Structure formats: structure tokens, C-alpha cells
């Protein structure tokens, strides 16, 4: 079994699904409201899961352009997740006096601002993003997501490099 096999792609998609389910568990059962960066992180993990699921379903030949496209899309999703999670970890580690005040909720921002301004405002982070509501094995939720996205980026990069180095079949 290679790192780009159908079972491993399904496993990756399932892990992404479980991360979304876990996020909703914390939101609706543990009553931990997600900050805007957490919501963006969910979008990134959902996108990565969709790419992995499509790769598993269609399972293009290793050297095909479609396989390379799936790996590039996976790298883009993982990169977005790394950037969002790293920003979130950074905000959580700022001294309290340097954290921005809490802004308007995400749904209100989306009602009154264009999407580009919403994205830039959310990525600035606010006081709610600095709260640490959960920690496991010394890492906060954004820390775990940073680790997960980093592993996904490394694997998709390896798979892309390996796809370009594969011998061409005639």
C-alpha cells in the first residue's frame, strides 16, 4: 500500500469528517462557541476532506495530471489551515494587553461587510480568539489543528513530488 492508496485517502477524509464532528460536539454539547478563526479552520479541514474523498473515489493513476491536481489542492487546503491555525496559536500566546478587543460576531460581519473585508477582519483575530477553552497534552485546539494541517501538508507534498518522479507509462 502506497501513501496515495484509496484506503489511505478514505482514512484521511474520515479523519477530516471526525474533526468536524468533534468541533460540532464541542460547540453544541460542551457549549464552547467557536471564534471566527475556528470557523475558518473548519472550512479548511472540510475542504481538505473533500479533496481526499474525491481522490479516494476517483483514484487517478499515480502519474496522471488528475493525481497531481488532487495533491496540489490538498497542499492548498493544508496551507490555508496552517496559516489560520498558526495565526490562532499566535493570538492565543500574545500577552493580554496586546490582544485586540472582541469584534462583532461573524454572522453580523457577513451581513454588513463585503467578503474580502470579513476575511481580513477575521484574520486579524480578536479577544475571543485569544481564549483558551481546551487543552489536551499541552496543546490547545488551534495547536492540534496546526499539527494536523502540517502533517497533511507534508504528506501531500511528498505525494506530489513522488507523482512527478514516477515513471511515465506508454
Amino acid at each position: 500500500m502506497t501513501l496515495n492508496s484509496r484506503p489511505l485517502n478514505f482514512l484521511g477524509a474520515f479523519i477530516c469528517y471526525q474533526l468536524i464532528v468533534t468541533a460540532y460536539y464541542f460547540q453544541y454539547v460542551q457549549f464552547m462557541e467557536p471564534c471566527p478563526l475556528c470557523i475558518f479552520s473548519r472550512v479548511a479541514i472540510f475542504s481538505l476532506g473533500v479533496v481526499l474523498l474525491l481522490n479516494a473515489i476517483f483514484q487517478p493513476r499515480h502519474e496522471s495530471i488528475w493525481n497531481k491536481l488532487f495533491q496540489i489542492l490538498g497542499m492548498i487546503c493544508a496551507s490555508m489551515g496552517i496559516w489560520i491555525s498558526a495565526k490562532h496559536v499566535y493570538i492565543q500566546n500574545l500577552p493580554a494587553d496586546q490582544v485586540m478587543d472582541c469584534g462583532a460576531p461573524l454572522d453580523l460581519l457577513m451581513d454588513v461587510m463585503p467578503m474580502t473585508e470579513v476575511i481580513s477582519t477575521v484574520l486579524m483575530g480578536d479577544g475571543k480568539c485569544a481564549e483558551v477553552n481546551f487543552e489536551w497534552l499541552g496543546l490547545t485546539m488551534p495547536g492540534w489543528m496546526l499539527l494536523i494541517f502540517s502533517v497533511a501538508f507534508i504528506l501531500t507534498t511528498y505525494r506530489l513530488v513522488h507523482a512527478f518522479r514516477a515513471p511515465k507509462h506508454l
Side-chain angles (χ1 to χ4, degrees):
M1 182 161 46
T2 67
L3 277 179
N4 196 24
S5 67
R6 179 171 275 152
L8 285 179
N9 284 317
F10 274 125
L11 176 64
F14 179 74
I15 290 170
C16 291
Y17 165 77
Q18 286 299 315
L19 288 168
I20 296 292
V21 168
T22 301
Y24 282 117
Y25 168 80
F26 280 112
Q27 181 176 351
Y28 292 110
V29 177
Q30 297 294 322
F31 304 107
M32 294 169 62
E33 272 305 305
C35 71
L37 285 176
C38 292
I39 293 171
F40 278 20
S41 184
R42 288 180 190 182
V43 170
I45 202 71
F46 177 80
S47 302
L48 180 62
V50 167
V51 169
L52 290 169
L53 182 62
L54 290 174
N55 195 1
I57 290 170
F58 295 112
Q59 192 60 37
R61 283 194 340 258
H62 185 68
E63 68 278 353
S64 76
I65 189 70
W66 291 105
N67 180 46
K68 294 169 185 162
L69 179 65
F70 281 130
Q71 303 316 320
I72 291 169
L73 289 174
M75 287 172 60
I76 290 169
C77 294
S79 297
M80 283 183 352
I82 288 170
W83 196 72
I84 293 164
S85 300
K87 178 74 172 180
H88 203 163
V89 168
Y90 170 75
I91 290 169
Q92 284 185 333
N93 288 302
L94 281 174
D97 61 334
Q98 292 182 12
V99 175
M100 295 179 66
D101 291 333
C102 290
L106 183 60
D107 53 348
L108 179 63
L109 290 176
M110 292 180 73
D111 288 341
V112 298
M113 293 178 158
M115 185 53 84
T116 54
E117 284 185 45
V118 170
I119 291 171
S120 73
T121 301
V122 167
L123 293 178
M124 292 288 295
D126 63 15
K128 188 171 184 161
C129 294
E131 292 176 11
V132 176
N133 297 321
F134 175 85
E135 201 172 309
W136 186 58
L137 298 177
L139 286 177
T140 62
M141 280 187 201
W144 281 106
M145 292 310 296
L146 179 59
L147 180 65
I148 290 165
F149 283 123
S150 297
V151 168
F153 182 81
I154 290 167
L155 287 175
T156 54
T157 302
Y158 173 80
R159 288 163 47 161
L160 181 65
V161 168
H162 193 62
F164 275 107
R165 295 177 73 194
K168 305 276 187 242
H169 291 33
L170 298 176

